[in-house]
Amino acid sequence: MPRFFYPQPIELGTLITLPDAVAHHIQVLRLNVGDSITLFNGEGGEYSASLRLIEKKRVHAEVQAFSPREAELPYAITLAQALPESSKMDGIIEKAVELGVTNIQPLSAQRCVTRLSGERAQKRHAHWQGIIVAASEQSGRNRLAQLTELTDFQQWIRQKNTSPRILLTPRATLSLPAWARQQPAQAVTIMIGPEGGFNAAEEQAAHDQGVLLLSMGDRILRTETAGMAAVAGLSAVWIESPGI
């Protein structure tokens, strides 16, 4: 059943006008009056609805039932990703949402090729928010991952955090899976550097702030691969093989 994000309160038995983007998508899918769709507004659960009116620029749907179904991980993961080059961030955000990441923190680090500020940064933030919505619709999540503003690495690293923060680096002597096997499932922050990784000064600054320096094993992963491997690895240890 097609799923769509509806960014407003939803009440059973009401007839609602769907956002323009959703209406356009419904027409692209060639749905008809009477077809069923699923709506969610990010506050938890999902609603089944039936299409009642389809016009060129307007679509109405009747909300019929609510389901409390969720598809969230039992622990929160924040992905603190230093900006990669070009459009790689789009794919990183999309896959992170699919894998269950709950918070995405873009970072500006020394080796970042891409530099964003002002209006350009605002436009990219809005673009990334759209990717989060689309990935949530596709993956069956009923809650949107939170996207925070782009922040300088040195400024962000000094912020206090009660949950473990993990910086992935090939220079670490302990791997993330080995660490996770000795820990209960819990909220964590995974920090991924840009192409070339975080530099030595940034790693030292993170270490001085209590950040754990861990690796993903013997191979060097690309920035767009490392975070996904880390999130999937934690799920393999904490969900698929609890207590091992």
Side-chain angles (χ1 to χ4, degrees):
M1 187 182 301
R3 304 180 72 254
F4 303 103
F5 177 62
Y6 181 78
Q8 297 181 36
I10 302 175
E11 296 183 7
L12 293 177
T14 58
L15 190 67
I16 60 176
T17 300
L18 300 179
D20 292 346
V22 174
H24 175 71
H25 196 178
I26 285 173
Q27 292 175 354
V28 169
L29 293 175
R30 299 185 181 277
L31 299 180
N32 299 306
V33 170
D35 287 347
S36 297
I37 61 173
T38 299
L39 300 173
F40 66 101
N41 61 3
E43 296 180 3
E46 61 189 18
Y47 297 80
S48 59
S50 179
L51 297 177
R52 294 303 185 214
L53 172 71
I54 300 179
E55 296 180 343
K56 186 175 182 180
K57 294 185 178 181
R58 184 173 57 172
V59 175
H60 290 172
E62 182 182 2
V63 183
Q64 297 178 323
F66 172 76
S67 169
R69 186 194 70 84
E70 294 291 352
E72 299 303 298
L73 294 173
Y75 49 89
I77 296 182
T78 296
L79 177 64
Q81 173 71 53
L83 289 184
E85 63 179 356
S86 188
S87 61
K88 289 181 181 178
M89 191 68 169
D90 293 6
I92 290 172
I93 291 176
E94 179 184 69
K95 301 310 177 187
V97 171
E98 292 179 14
L99 289 170
V101 166
T102 49
N103 299 278
I104 298 171
Q105 170 64 69
L107 295 176
S108 177
Q110 283 295 314
R111 289 177 176 161
C112 287
V113 175
T114 300
R115 300 290 176 179
L116 298 176
S117 61
E119 183 178 354
R120 187 166 173 234
Q122 294 176 3
K123 288 182 177 180
R124 295 307 296 175
H125 189 277
H127 174 72
W128 293 333
Q129 189 65 51
I131 291 174
I132 290 174
V133 169
S136 299
E137 291 175 339
Q138 182 277 324
S139 63
R141 292 182 65 176
N142 288 324
R143 298 179 184 273
L144 298 182
Q146 297 299 306
L147 174 66
T148 50
E149 299 291 337
L150 175 65
T151 306
D152 177 75
F153 174 87
Q154 294 291 349
Q155 176 184 344
W156 179 81
I157 201 65
R158 292 192 293 270
Q159 298 177 9
K160 299 301 180 182
N161 197 315
T162 57
S163 58
R165 291 187 291 180
I166 297 167
L167 186 151
L168 295 183
T169 170
R171 289 172 287 279
T173 58
L174 180 66
S175 72
L176 175 65
W179 174 85
R181 292 188 189 99
Q182 304 302 319
Q183 303 292 324
Q186 59 189 295
V188 294
T189 296
I190 303 295
M191 301 167 57
I192 307 296
E195 292 85 355
F198 292 114
N199 64 27
E202 289 169 331
E203 289 190 7
Q204 185 61 51
H207 177 73
D208 292 344
Q209 293 296 327
V211 173
L212 298 171
L213 303 185
L214 302 177
S215 77
M216 285 302 297
D218 296 330
R219 291 172 299 281
I220 306 298
L221 303 181
R222 291 180 179 273
T223 184
E224 64 267 33
T225 306
M228 306 308 103
V231 175
L234 287 177
S235 293
V237 174
W238 285 347
I239 297 179
E240 301 299 334
S241 305
I244 296 178

